C-alpha cells in the first residue's frame, strides 16, 4: 500500500495537473510576454535589444530570454514555443511541492495534499501557458531552498553548491531572491545566537550569491562603466513605469498626496487585501495563517511558519527601491508567486489534520473552486477574444500592418517574426498617415496607447482612424482593426 501511495497517487496528480494546464491553455496575451518574445528572438542575432522599446529591466532577465530563444530554435518561432518552458517548470513544480512538503513536515499525507492543491492552484495552472518570468523564477528559488535543507541535514557540500547556483540564476529571471536573502540573514542570526551554530550552508549561500552578483557587476563595469548597473536599470524601470509603483498605485484609491495616507492604503487596503481577500487564491492565505497560529502555539513546523510569515510581511511592507521607500504593489495576482509554496504546504498540513470526511469535503470544495477560478482567469485575460485575434493575424500573413511598438511585438510573434517588413511602428507626433497604402491595416488599442503615453512615448492623432480615410473592419476586445480606403 505504501508503494501504491508513493508512486501511483503522485502520478495521477501530475497527469491531472498536465490535463488541467492543457485544457486551460491561455497562450500569448498581448502583454509583457510580447517583450520577452521579441527579446528572446533577438538574443543571438547580433542585434539584441537594438531596436527594443519597452521596460528597461526586461533585457536583464536573460534566463527567460535564453529559454525562449532555445525554444524558438527547437520548436520554431511562434506562440507555442514561448510557453514550452513555463509549462515544463509548472509540471516540475508539482514534484518539487511533494518533496519539499515532505522534507519540511515528514508527513506523506500532507505532501500528497500539497501536491494536489498545487496541481489545481488557479494561478499556477494559468501561468503554465504564459511567457511570464514569475513561475520559473520562484521555482528555481524553491528548488534551491529544498536542496539547501537537504544539504544541512545530510551535510552535503554538493547540494549546497547547487542551491547557491540556483539562487543566483533566479536573478536572471527576476529579482525576487532579495526577499529570501533577508530571511536567510535573519534565520542565520537566530541560529547563531539561539543555538550557537554558524550554519555554514546558509552562510555560504549568502556569500556565494554576493560573489556571483559581484562577478556580474564586474562584467557590467566593463560593458557599461557601472558596477551597479542592475540597480541602475531597476531604478530606470521605476521611472519608466512609475504609475505601477507606490505612491501612484495608492493614490488611485483616495486621490490623496499625503505620504502616510498612501502608505496605509498601500499596505492595508491594497497589499494585505490582495493576498488575503482575493478569490483567485481561494482564501488559502487565510487557511495558511490559521495553521501558522496553530504552529506557533504548538511550536511545530517553525521553519515553514517562518518562511510564510517572513515572506508575507516583506512582500506587504518592504521597499523595492534602495533610494525611496516603495512597497511593492500586489494588485497583480502573479506577484504573490513567492508566497504560493509555503502557503500551499501550510494549507495541506492543516487539511491533513482533519478526519477523512471533513478533509475530503474541504478538498472537493477547493477543487471545484479552482476550476471556477480558472474560468475567471480566462475571462480576465480575454482568452476567447485573443484567440480570435491570433487566428485572424495568422490568416493574413502578407498584409501590411501599422501599429504601436508594443502591439507590433505581438503581431510579429503570431505571424512568425520572419517577415518583420509586414508590420511598421506608428510612433512620434509627426508620423505621416499618408504613407499608408490602400488596404493597409492599422491595429489600434486605446489601452496600449494610453499606457505607452504614460511611459512618455508620443503619438500622432489616432482620431484620423475614425475619418473617411479608414474603415473599421474587425474588433477583438481591446483591439480595433482599421483598413485604409
Amino acid at each position: 500500500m505504501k508503494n501504491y501511495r508513493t508512486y501511483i497517487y503522485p502520478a495521477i496528480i501530475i497527469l491531472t495537473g498536465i490535463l488541467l494546464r492543457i485544457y486551460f491553455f491561455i497562450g500569448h496575451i498581448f502583454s509583457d510576454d510580447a517583450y520577452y518574445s521579441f527579446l528572446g528572438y533577438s538574443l543571438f542575432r547580433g542585434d539584441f535589444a537594438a531596436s527594443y522599446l519597452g521596460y528597461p529591466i526586461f533585457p536583464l532577465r536573460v534566463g527567460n530570454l535564453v529559454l525562449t530563444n532555445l525554444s524558438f530554435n527547437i520548436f520554431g518561432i511562434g506562440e507555442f514555443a514561448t510557453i514550452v518552458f513555463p509549462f515544463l517548470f509548472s509540471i516540475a513544480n508539482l514534484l518539487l511541492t511533494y518533496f519539499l512538503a515532505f522534507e519540511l513536515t515528514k508527513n506523506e499525507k500532507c505532501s500528497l495534499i500539497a501536491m494536489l492543491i498545487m496541481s489545481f492552484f488557479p494561478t499556477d495552472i494559468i501561468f503554465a501557458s504564459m511567457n511570464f518570468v514569475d513561475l520559473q523564477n520562484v521555482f528555481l528559488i524553491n528548488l534551491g531552498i529544498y536542496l539547501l535543507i537537504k544539504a544541512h541535514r545530510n551535510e552535503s557540500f554538493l547540494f549546497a553548491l547547487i542551491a547557491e547556483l540556483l539562487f543566483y540564476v533566479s536573478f536572471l529571471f527576476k529579482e525576487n531572491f532579495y526577499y529570501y536573502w533577508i530571511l536567510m540573514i535573519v534565520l542565520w542570526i537566530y541560529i547563531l545566537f539561539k543555538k550557537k551554530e554558524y550554519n555554514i550552508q546558509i552562510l555560504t549561500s549568502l556569500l556565494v550569491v554576493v560573489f556571483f552578483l559581484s562577478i556580474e557587476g564586474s562584467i557590467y563595469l566593463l560593458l557599461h562603466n557601472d558596477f551597479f548597473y542592475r540597480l541602475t536599470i531597476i531604478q530606470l524601470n521605476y521611472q519608466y513605469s512609475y504609475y505601477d509603483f507606490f505612491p501612484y498605485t495608492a493614490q488611485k484609491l483616495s486621490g490623496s498626496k499625503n505620504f502616510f495616507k498612501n502608505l496605509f492604503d498601500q499596505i492595508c487596503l491594497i497589499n494585505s487585501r490582495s493576498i488575503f481577500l482575493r478569490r483567485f487564491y481561494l482564501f488559502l492565505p487565510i487557511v495558511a495563517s490559521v495553521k501558522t497560529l496553530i504552529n506557533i502555539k504548538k511550536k511545530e513546523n517553525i521553519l515553514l511558519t517562518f518562511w510564510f510569515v517572513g515572506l508575507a510581511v516583506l512582500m506587504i511592507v518592504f521597499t523595492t527601491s534602495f533610494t525611496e521607500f516603495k512597497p511593492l504593489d500586489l494588485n497583480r495576482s502573479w506577484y504573490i508567486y513567492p508566497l504560493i509554496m509555503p502557503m500551499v504546504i501550510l494549507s495541506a498540513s492543516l487539511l491533513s489534520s482533519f478526519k477523512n470526511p471533513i478533509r475530503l469535503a474541504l478538498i472537493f470544495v477547493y477543487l471545484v473552486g479552482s476550476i471556477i477560478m480558472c474560468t475567471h482567469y480566462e475571462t480576465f485575460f480575454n482568452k476567447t477574444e485573443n484567440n480570435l485575434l491570433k487566428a485572424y493575424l495568422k490568416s493574413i500573413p502578407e498584409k501590411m500592418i501599422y501599429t504601436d511598438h508594443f502591439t507590433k511585438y505581438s503581431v510579429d510573434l503570431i505571424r512568425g517574426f520572419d517577415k518583420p517588413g509586414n508590420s511598421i511602428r506608428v510612433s512620434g507626433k509627426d508620423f505621416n498617415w499618408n504613407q499608408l497604402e490602400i488596404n493597409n491595416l492599422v491595429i489600434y488599442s486605446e489601452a496600449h496607447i494610453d499606457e505607452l503615453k504614460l511611459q512618455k512615448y508620443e503619438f500622432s492623432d489616432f482620431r484620423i482612424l475614425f475619418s473617411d480615410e479608414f474603415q473599421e473592419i474587425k474588433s477583438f476586445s481591446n483591439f480595433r482593426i482599421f483598413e485604409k480606403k
Side-chain angles (χ1 to χ4, degrees), residues 14-28:
I14 289 175
L15 178 60
T16 303
I18 291 173
L19 294 175
L20 284 168
R21 284 153 179 76
I22 293 174
Y23 182 80
F24 288 107
F25 178 92
I26 294 290
H28 188 76

Side-chain angles (χ1 to χ4, degrees), residues 106-122:
K106 299 302 180 183
N107 185 318
E108 185 181 13
K109 184 186 297 182
C110 172
S111 303
L112 286 171
I113 293 174
M115 190 182 191
L116 180 64
I117 290 175
M118 189 67 81
S119 71
F120 275 80
F121 194 72

Side-chain angles (χ1 to χ4, degrees), residues 3 87 94 117 145 151 153 195 307 385 387 433 441 453:
N3 287 337
F87 187 90
L94 302 184
I117 290 175
I145 290 173
R153 291 176 177 173
K195 299 185 177 181
W307 184 5
E385 288 293 303
N387 285 343
W433 291 100
L441 301 182
K453 286 180 178 178

Side-chain angles (χ1 to χ4, degrees), residues 275-290:
I275 290 179
F276 294 101
L277 296 176
R278 186 173 234 150
R279 68 186 192 279
F280 286 132
Y281 311 146
L282 297 165
F283 305 109
L284 286 189
I286 295 178
V287 176
S289 298
V290 172

Side-chain angles (χ1 to χ4, degrees), residues 140 143-144 147 157-168:
L140 293 170
L143 179 57
L147 292 174
F157 173 77
L158 178 61
F159 281 172
L161 178 60
I162 296 174
E164 293 152 7
L165 289 172
L166 288 170
F167 291 149
Y168 170 69

Side-chain angles (χ1 to χ4, degrees), residues 263 267 271-272 311-320 325-328 330:
L263 186 62
I267 292 173
N271 287 357
S272 296
L311 270 184
V313 171
L314 287 176
M315 293 185 69
I316 290 172
V317 306
F318 196 70
T319 181
T320 57
F325 188 78
K326 288 181 176 291
L328 179 66
L330 299 179

Side-chain angles (χ1 to χ4, degrees), residues 392 396-403 408 411 415 419-425 435-443 481-484:
Y392 176 71
I396 53 169
E398 306 297 331
K399 202 79 168 178
M400 178 63 74
I401 294 176
Y402 288 78
T403 188
K408 181 183 186 304
V411 171
R415 301 207 297 180
K419 295 181 179 178
N422 282 344
S423 64
I424 295 177
R425 291 173 174 171
Q435 68 182 278
L436 276 70
E437 299 178 357
I438 294 175
N439 297 328
N440 285 171
L441 301 182
V442 179
I443 298 181
I481 302 180
F482 297 84
E483 185 177 56
K484 173 76 172 180

